[in-house]
Amino acid sequence: MSGHIVHNWKVRWFILRQNTLLYYKLEGGQKVTPPKGQILLDGCTITCPCLEYENRPLLIKLKTRTSTEYFLEACSREERDAWAFEITGAIHAGQPGKVQQLHLLKNSFKLPPHISLHRIVDKMRDSSSGIRPCPNMEQGSTYKKTFIGSSLVDWLISNRFVANRLEAVTLASMLMEENFLRPVGARSTGAIRSGDLAEQFLDDSTALYTFAESYKKKTNPKEEISLSTMELSGTVVKQGFLAKQGHKRKNWKVRRFVLRKDPAFLHYYDPSKDENRPVGGFSLRGSLVSALEDNGVPTGVKGNVQGNLFKVITKDDTHYYIQASSKAERVEWIEAIKKLT
């Protein structure tokens, strides 16, 4: 933190309250009470990244209602962006609409309709303007044809596929989930065990990644999953966006669901892809559908996901966990599915 009277840099311990940012002196790695000072966030403006100090790229600037300026320096870009996100939320705490918008930014990311993941990867692999894999070391081992996580985040932002580092991390995680990228080494491989999509990819100079060998296979139409035309021939009864838990990594992704009758099928589509073909689906014949408790995280559900959940169990005992945006929407989907089982 830079002092606002004498511009010297001091280490401070920060605690974010509802509308106040408290800071404490540190002695022996512990904060010293009482607080050294506080920053009132009501009426504050925040600048991140702050570029006023050329040799300090990890700054956040806060300007209070009385025009006092505070410069806060984080240890990493990831930490800087996380603090900026939370502080911005506290500044707008009295304006629920803005807070909701911020949580949408943090927890979800949707590609513009004219851009597909295939197009992004094609540009990433371009020999002149893409990312150039090279040998990198981690814990004494050398990994050929790899790149670091933070360089991919930089590239996604510079090519304007995303607006900020939070979106870039989420998009990079999507690329891994769809097998365009894969982690290399202990640092990045350990992160994919997280159930949160936004934490599976590391914006870090020590985390290594490479292009997945299966990429070419993913773009080969002959090897794409062939769906029976009969499955898709039914009459559309209902469609809409719902969140679905993945079967492998148990992370949650928004999908466009389409319910059809005669024959009864529920298909789901990836809204980030151009092609109008499902990424999955199942027959509803012999299926069971039920609402899940709104209190706590139900058994089988991973991550801090609560409220408006329901489950579909297919005839072959495959469990699908789905989340609606409201109780009313959940009831509508359950009733519509029940009529076709």
Side-chain angles (χ1 to χ4, degrees), residues 32-263:
V32 178
T33 55
K36 178 74 174 172
Q38 62 178 10
I39 303 170
L40 296 177
L41 298 176
D42 185 32
C44 246
T45 57
I46 183 170
T47 304
C48 180
C50 172
L51 306 177
E52 293 187 25
Y53 289 83
E54 191 174 332
N55 62 336
R56 294 182 181 271
L58 303 176
L59 287 184
I60 298 170
K61 176 183 173 182
L62 292 176
K63 187 174 183 179
T64 67
R65 181 175 279 176
T66 57
S67 296
T68 303
E69 293 183 343
Y70 294 86
F71 295 90
L72 317 180
E73 185 173 32
C75 297
S76 67
R77 282 174 291 196
E78 188 176 37
E79 185 182 55
R80 178 198 65 189
D81 291 349
W83 271 99
F85 176 85
E86 299 297 344
I87 293 170
T88 305
I91 290 171
H92 297 309
Q95 304 170 54
K98 288 193 176 180
V99 175
Q100 188 177 20
Q101 230 173 10
L102 286 164
H103 280 282
L104 285 171
L105 168 66
K106 184 177 181 183
N107 296 324
S108 66
F109 172 71
K110 186 176 178 181
L111 280 174
H114 64 284
I115 295 177
S116 69
L117 295 181
H118 285 286
R119 179 186 163 190
I120 293 173
V121 178
D122 283 340
K123 191 164 183 179
M124 283 170 61
R125 296 180 76 109
D126 185 270
S127 57
S128 58
S129 61
I131 294 175
R132 294 186 180 180
C134 60
N136 283 288
M137 286 193 68
E138 184 196 14
Q139 297 180 359
S141 299
T142 301
Y143 297 93
K144 296 179 179 179
K145 297 183 178 180
T146 57
F147 44 85
I148 61 176
S150 54
S151 67
L152 175 56
V153 169
D154 290 338
W155 185 88
L156 289 170
I157 293 172
S158 66
N159 282 273
R160 299 184 179 179
F161 287 117
V162 292
N164 54 55
R165 304 192 81 80
L166 283 171
E167 286 189 359
V169 168
T170 306
L171 177 53
S173 297
M174 290 167 63
L175 290 167
M176 281 205 303
E177 180 68 21
E178 299 299 329
N179 295 320
F180 292 115
L181 304 177
R182 64 180 177 87
V184 176
R187 183 91 171 86
S188 56
T189 303
I192 67 169
R193 298 190 182 97
S194 165
D196 185 349
L197 180 64
E199 293 175 0
Q200 289 183 9
F201 183 90
L202 297 176
D203 179 7
D204 195 302
S205 60
T206 63
L208 303 181
Y209 299 88
T210 189
F211 293 113
E213 293 176 2
S214 61
Y215 165 65
K216 290 300 179 185
K217 294 180 182 178
K218 294 289 284 188
T219 59
N220 187 344
K222 293 179 182 177
E223 295 186 23
E224 286 183 352
I225 300 169
S226 60
L227 289 152
S228 165
T229 53
M230 183 198 72
E231 285 186 26
L232 303 173
S233 66
T235 305
V236 175
V237 176
K238 185 175 178 60
Q239 59 181 314
F241 290 92
L242 300 166
K244 171 187 165 293
Q245 180 176 268
H247 289 295
K248 292 180 181 177
R249 292 178 183 159
K250 307 297 183 187
N251 54 338
W252 289 83
K253 293 189 283 190
V254 174
R255 294 289 184 242
R256 180 170 65 87
F257 280 79
V258 177
L259 180 63
R260 294 180 173 89
K261 68 175 183 179
D262 302 325

Side-chain angles (χ1 to χ4, degrees), residues 252 293-298 301 303-309 323-324 330:
W252 289 83
E293 291 293 330
D294 284 339
N295 297 325
V297 180
V301 173
N304 188 24
V305 179
Q306 299 179 29
N308 310 319
L309 292 164
Q323 184 180 39
R330 176 174 67 178

